[in-house]
Amino acid sequence: MCDLFALSASRNYTAAASLPLFAVRGRANVHGWGIGFFRNSMPVVEKSGEKVFTDGRLHGSFERLARVVDSPIIVAHIRYKSSGQVDECHAHPFVLDFWGQSWIFAHNGKAPAIEPYLSRQQPILEARSDSARTLEFLRDYFQEAEPRRPHAPFIQILREALARLLQEYPGEYNFLLTNGRVLWAFTNHRQFLLLKGSRKLEEALLLTTINEGLSPEDWKRITARPGSGGKILLIAGGDLLLLEDLVLSA
Amino acid sequence: MCELFAMSAGHHYTAHQYLPPFADRARANISGWGLGFFRNGQVLIEKSCEGIFTEDMLHDSFRRLSRVIDSRIILSHIRCPKSGHQKESHAQPLTDHFLDHNWLFIMSGESQKLMDYQSPRPLMSEELLAARVFEFVRDEMESGLASRPRQSLYQVLALGCKKLITNYPGQYIFFLANETVLFAFLNNSQVLTYQDPKALGEALVVTTVTGGLTEHPDNWSAFSQQDHSRGQILIISGADLLYLGHL
């Protein structure tokens, strides 16, 4: 199973302490890695189809990027493929534009039902995987909801998109979605662990899917409540702004 | 009634298009004005107890500041005569540091009972409703997160607002912002939001001024609240309305 990581702060931050730990604890994922962040409101993604950890050593580029990348929001993904090939193109994060801005997306899950999805919009992501199709599905839903902007809150469109995604393409979804200012997270099958104000790592808000967290501190475990459609998180600056269940109509 | 203004953008932005019309449409409020914004995570406030308009002239400082201030979030308040204060320190925005952030606060409203509220950490000793509301909301958010650290910021704010309108009935509209997010609460009247149709992703403007601040009121989205025992909270970041919660 892939693993996800995010750092969110109200100012530029590096994840020099937590990103290497994330890679070490997620080293069973051997099919690539990626780091995404924003610079001057533009998305930047560095990714690779190589192992993040080989022969007891972190991938050299990952290690250097972890020290250098500074941004209010940093997203990272370590891949264990459940769909698609092993190469740089299939590594996460992915980037698409919608709702008037660029979005970075990283996913962890298994949703074979969405693999045949054909997007009605351009561009189409090159990767042939459930994750790429999931991002295109979200992009398409938001594009079609564009006339409801700006009156409809973003979360209303997101709730609708997720409900339709789960109805039409049932599967296990767990993703991070950021425009560089706020970070949305959703899970319907795995936990997120959240920590704010670490004394051992960065003081920014940290989020990961790694089961034990990244430090021996009081990580808050967030899981979807049984019977709900999943859990939606909204993070901005160093704060968890919102935490709610996705309600699916019967 | 005092009038409120906020602008939230994805990057540093000036509100020069919107602040002069805001002042113009709120010119009946002659008891002072204020502008608050963020620079490198720090709060900066410029305020005055002078009228926003003198005869037909917009206050010189306000006019210049509206051209110059650039920030991801800008708040402005124009004070009505009913507030009964003439000291510059009583003009809004107010500010305080809590929950790891510097916050800006502006409000408009009425409540007799809340003037009795005694905060363990008063912002000022003078009788000023805005200060009491800010203290109450801040105290509730702090104690809410201290006792339930796993809650989200929205949850503690919503609980605090619910307690405010239950324990201290009145009419409240306030904007509360840190460097990344703007919360707007109302339990009466309305707030209006606007995005320039030609630049949807650039900035979101929020105001209490009826009809909005542009020539075309139809482009403004109104969030109205008639029942004072209930309320709404908007969460805004960048140029997006992210969430609308009903209490």
Side-chain angles (χ1 to χ4, degrees), chain B residues 71-192:
Chain B
S71 175
R72 279 180 55 177
I73 293 181
I74 299 171
L75 265 57
S76 183
H77 180 271
I78 299 181
R79 198 167 57 177
C80 65
K82 275 189 356 187
S83 63
H85 300 283
Q86 288 297 330
K87 283 169 71 177
E88 191 168 294
S89 62
H90 288 177
Q92 301 176 43
L94 304 176
T95 184
D96 197 15
H97 183 90
F98 61 97
L99 298 179
D100 301 329
H101 294 284
N102 292 308
W103 296 86
L104 283 170
F105 179 87
I106 54 177
M107 71 90 57
S108 165
E110 288 178 353
S111 171
Q112 288 302 317
K113 207 176 164 197
L114 187 65
M115 296 304 283
D116 298 336
Y117 178 66
Q118 293 196 324
S119 170
R121 193 161 64 82
L123 283 169
M124 58 176 71
S125 55
E126 291 98 328
E127 285 195 0
L128 183 70
L129 181 61
R132 298 296 90 78
V133 177
F134 190 20
E135 288 162 359
F136 184 89
V137 171
R138 176 203 62 196
D139 295 347
E140 288 300 314
M141 290 176 74
E142 283 185 323
S143 62
L145 271 183
S147 61
R148 297 176 296 273
R150 292 174 180 262
Q151 288 196 109
S152 69
L153 218 47
Y154 171 78
Q155 281 171 301
V156 293
L157 176 62
L159 285 171
C161 290
K162 206 166 182 176
K163 196 168 168 185
L164 174 73
I165 57 181
T166 305
N167 294 3
Y168 300 98
Q171 298 174 37
Y172 305 97
I173 303 181
F174 68 76
F175 297 172
L176 174 68
N178 64 31
E179 66 279 17
T180 53
V181 66
L182 166 69
F183 296 102
F185 170 77
L186 68 154
N187 77 333
N188 74 105
S189 191
Q190 61 177 5
V191 297
L192 296 103

Side-chain angles (χ1 to χ4, degrees), chain A residues 69-124:
Chain A
V69 168
D70 68 328
S71 178
I73 295 180
I74 300 170
V75 166
H77 180 270
I78 306 177
R79 184 169 182 235
Y80 190 90
K81 83 164 181 124
S82 60
S83 169
Q85 299 169 7
V86 176
D87 56 22
E88 188 172 306
C89 153
H90 284 80
H92 302 214
F94 299 106
V95 175
L96 280 178
D97 289 1
F98 55 90
W99 214 244
Q101 48 217 297
S102 296
W103 295 88
I104 290 177
F105 173 86
H107 175 240
N108 144 236
K110 202 169 181 180
I114 202 170
E115 284 182 26
Y117 177 73
L118 289 173
S119 175
R120 299 173 294 276
Q121 312 280 344
Q122 292 292 329
I124 303 290

Side-chain angles (χ1 to χ4, degrees), chain A residues 181-223:
Chain A
R181 294 182 288 277
V182 298
L183 172 73
W184 294 93
F186 173 74
T187 183
N188 72 344
H189 77 110
R190 266 185 92 188
Q191 77 283 348
F192 278 118
L193 284 101
L194 184 150
L195 181 66
K196 188 183 169 185
S198 171
R199 287 185 299 278
K200 298 177 185 299
L201 306 170
E202 290 81 12
E203 285 183 355
L205 185 147
L206 301 171
L207 188 72
T208 184
T209 51
I210 299 280
N211 191 39
E212 67 274 26
L214 303 177
S215 62
E217 294 176 277
D218 186 21
W219 289 75
K220 172 183 178 178
R221 183 177 297 271
I222 298 166
T223 52

Side-chain angles (χ1 to χ4, degrees), chain A residues 39-54:
Chain A
R39 180 160 294 156
N40 301 326
S41 303
M42 298 300 290
V44 181
V45 169
E46 292 291 336
K47 55 188 185 177
S48 166
E50 297 172 1
K51 291 181 184 177
V52 74
F53 203 86
T54 316

Side-chain angles (χ1 to χ4, degrees), chain A residues 10 41 99-101 146 149-156 159 179 181-182 184 196 218-221 234 236-244, chain B residues 9-11 72 99-101 150-155 178-181 183 195 200-201 204 221-223 235 237-244:
Chain A
S10 53
S41 303
W99 214 244
Q101 48 217 297
E146 188 73 22
R149 191 175 169 216
H151 189 80
F154 189 93
I155 194 160
Q156 189 178 325
R159 284 185 198 127
N179 61 2
R181 294 182 288 277
V182 298
W184 294 93
K196 188 183 169 185
D218 186 21
W219 289 75
K220 172 183 178 178
R221 183 177 297 271
L234 169 60
D239 295 307
L240 174 63
L241 287 187
L242 193 70
L243 177 64
E244 71 166 35
Chain B
H11 51 89
R72 279 180 55 177
L99 298 179
D100 301 329
H101 294 284
R150 292 174 180 262
Q151 288 196 109
S152 69
L153 218 47
Y154 171 78
Q155 281 171 301
N178 64 31
E179 66 279 17
T180 53
V181 66
F183 296 102
Q195 281 188 317
L200 275 181
L204 184 85
S221 302
F223 299 86
I235 306 179
S237 184
D240 293 311
L241 171 61
L242 299 177
Y243 187 84
L244 171 65

Side-chain angles (χ1 to χ4, degrees), chain B residues 33-35 45-49 88-94 124:
Chain B
W33 54 268
L35 286 160
I45 294 175
E46 294 291 337
K47 53 191 183 180
S48 166
C49 56
E88 191 168 294
S89 62
H90 288 177
Q92 301 176 43
L94 304 176
M124 58 176 71

